[in-house]
Amino acid sequence: MRLLVTGGAGFIGSEFVRSLLLSRHPVHHGIRITVLDSLTYAGVLANLSPVSEHPQFTFVHGDICDADQVDEVMPGHDAVVHFAAESHVDRSIAGARPFIQTNVLGTQTLLDAAHRHRIGRFVHVSTDEVYGSIPAGSWTEDSPLAPNSPYAASKAGSDLLALAFHRTHGMDVVVTRCSNNYGRYQFPEKVIPLFVTNLLDGKQVPVYGDGRNVRDWLHVSDHCRGLDLALRKGRPGHVYHLGGGTELTNEQLTGLLLEATGTGWDMVRHVPDRKGHDLRYSLDCRKAAEELGYTAEVRLEDGLADTVAWYRAHRDWWEPLKANAGLRHPHQSPIDRAPPGAF
Ligand code: NAD
């Protein structure tokens, strides 16, 4: 299978590429991957260094909004797995334009090209944030979309656009909606790596509001396994939830990170709540379990311990990113001044 992976230099996309190219499972034998990535502040080539010399790997530096370039890269692939996005909620509150540009118009550019070149399958990586907030119970794949942040609205737009290409053009589209990911190589503006790296540096961590917002945490390796199953087994035109099954308040998560780094509550400072902050996200994942055979396998304690150990051992990866983040994008603020996100 020849895969075009957009956003493959980011956190989740790079895990997906590494896991498939380094897999010994017969189902992945002979897989070829092209990564198309414009290397924004969140795109890090080093994330792909474990596979950069792999004979079945190609990297193309390019923008999914560039129709000519997308048209050039698309032919010859059997499927697209679309990760490329502006992904940080706080940045979307500071300025929504790049989110509409990449997440909506970039997705439309890719869908148009995939349709024109009759690509076999298009997997669109979406998010639980498209549903808004749910005080109790869990969303099913049929729940109405009611996004609250500009990020979530842009993801809802692209998610619906992908499904519209299935209904209108009969394109083989599968949409996945996942919960909050964590793990190695996550850009240190997102809450877990931001908190871990601050704590490792003896710096305080900022918790939004009263810390009672609830998120479900999904290890990135479980997410990528679910995406691979959706790619191979998902039904055209269907949506699948990929969750982690581990709901925590932000205060509970903070407690676990303090414990894992051997620090205490004196390292926590409460900051005013994020505008429009969703209280709780929760996905019902029974459909993915029944149809794809997906269940999350990484226990939160193990996943967090591995993540903290990785950041402890990889200062060379995150220190330059933290120092430079945002400075290449004048409309975005450096992460030291921005409040944490991805809750
Ligand atoms: P990320 O910000 O780490 O990576 C995004 C990647 O996309 C980067 O490599 C960046 O350079 C690339 N990119 C951005 N704009 C581009 C453009 N115009 N053209 C080409 N490449 C471009 O994001 P992530 O956390 O890995 O998320 C990947 C996908 O998963 C996104 O679509 C995101 O909405 C979705 N998602 C993420 C989470 C999470 O917890 N991280 C949860 C749910 C859904």
Side-chain angles (χ1 to χ4, degrees):
M1 184 186 269
R2 293 156 304 170
L3 282 185
L4 177 61
V5 176
T6 70
F11 164 48
I12 307 172
S14 69
E15 166 77 20
F16 185 75
V17 171
R18 292 190 306 269
S19 65
L20 260 56
L21 285 177
L22 301 178
S23 164
R24 287 165 191 266
H25 197 289
V27 80
H28 299 128
H29 187 73
I31 199 158
R32 305 182 76 84
I33 295 184
T34 308
V35 165
L36 174 63
D37 197 302
S38 63
L39 299 178
T40 66
Y41 75 95
V44 183
L45 266 185
N47 296 359
L48 292 165
S49 57
V51 293
S52 58
E53 301 299 319
H54 196 290
Q56 279 144 236
F57 171 74
T58 308
F59 181 81
V60 178
H61 185 198
D63 191 327
I64 59 165
C65 303
D66 180 339
D68 291 340
Q69 191 171 22
V70 168
D71 216 44
E72 211 172 286
V73 174
M74 188 67 71
H77 293 96
D78 301 304
V80 174
V81 185
H82 175 36
F83 294 93
E86 287 292 336
S87 68
H88 192 41
V89 176
D90 288 319
R91 289 180 186 262
S92 81
I93 294 168
R97 197 179 181 89
F99 288 74
I100 304 308
Q101 178 74 22
T102 285
N103 301 1
V104 182
L105 296 175
T107 300
Q108 172 250 315
T109 306
L110 280 173
L111 286 163
D112 273 346
H115 176 51
R116 202 164 36 251
H117 294 286
R118 299 176 196 283
I119 301 303
R121 166 147 285 194
F122 191 104
V123 177
H124 177 75
V125 181
S126 188
T127 167
D128 56 5
E129 299 195 32
V130 296
Y131 295 115
S133 186
I134 190 167
S138 300
W139 293 297
T140 67
E141 285 81 354
D142 298 323
S143 299
L145 306 197
N148 288 321
S149 71
Y151 162 72
S154 70
K155 290 297 289 185
S158 57
D159 177 318
L160 293 175
L161 206 49
L163 292 171
F165 268 67
H166 167 72
R167 293 194 198 103
T168 306
H169 300 296
M171 246 178 83
D172 182 347
V173 169
V174 171
V175 171
T176 59
R177 297 181 186 143
C178 67
S179 49
N180 276 37
N181 284 225
Y182 72 99
R184 303 172 175 202
Y185 295 98
Q186 187 168 27
F187 196 84
E189 67 184 350
K190 301 286 170 66
V191 67
I192 289 184
L194 178 73
F195 277 26
V196 170
T197 55
N198 271 15
L199 293 169
L200 291 176
D201 271 349
K203 289 189 190 151
Q204 281 194 315
V205 294
V207 171
Y208 275 136
D210 59 10
R212 294 215 183 129
N213 302 61
V214 175
R215 297 294 181 263
D216 170 52
W217 290 96
L218 167 65
H219 194 265
V220 65
S221 63
D222 278 330
H223 183 198
C224 289
R225 204 167 31 77
L227 286 171
D228 181 40
L229 289 167
L231 170 66
R232 289 185 288 109
K233 300 183 177 177
R235 282 191 286 154
H238 278 252
V239 178
Y240 295 93
H241 285 172
L242 302 172
T246 45
E247 284 188 26
L248 292 177
T249 64
N250 292 342
E251 197 169 35
Q252 289 170 320
L253 174 70
T254 303
L256 292 175
L257 296 176
L258 293 173
E259 202 178 305
T261 51
T263 51
W265 285 97
D266 56 316
M267 298 305 286
V268 174
R269 125 184 99 86
H270 285 269
V271 296
D273 209 353
R274 170 193 278 166
K275 285 185 192 171
H277 203 176
D278 291 329
L279 181 63
R280 178 172 173 267
Y281 303 141
S282 182
L283 294 174
D284 179 330
C285 297
R286 280 176 295 182
K287 181 176 172 186
E290 283 159 21
E291 292 190 19
L292 309 178
Y294 167 81
T295 47
E297 288 174 358
V298 179
R299 291 184 331 142
L300 185 77
E301 309 87 282
D302 301 337
L304 279 185
D306 178 79
T307 303
V308 172
W310 190 84
Y311 280 90
R312 222 184 255 288
H314 289 84
R315 278 182 175 273
D316 56 329
W317 183 85
W318 57 264
E319 278 180 346
L321 296 180
K322 249 184 135 169
N324 297 329
L327 298 178
R328 280 182 278 161
H329 290 252
H331 60 277
Q332 294 164 335
S333 51
I335 53 178
D336 268 1
R337 279 190 269 129
F343 272 134

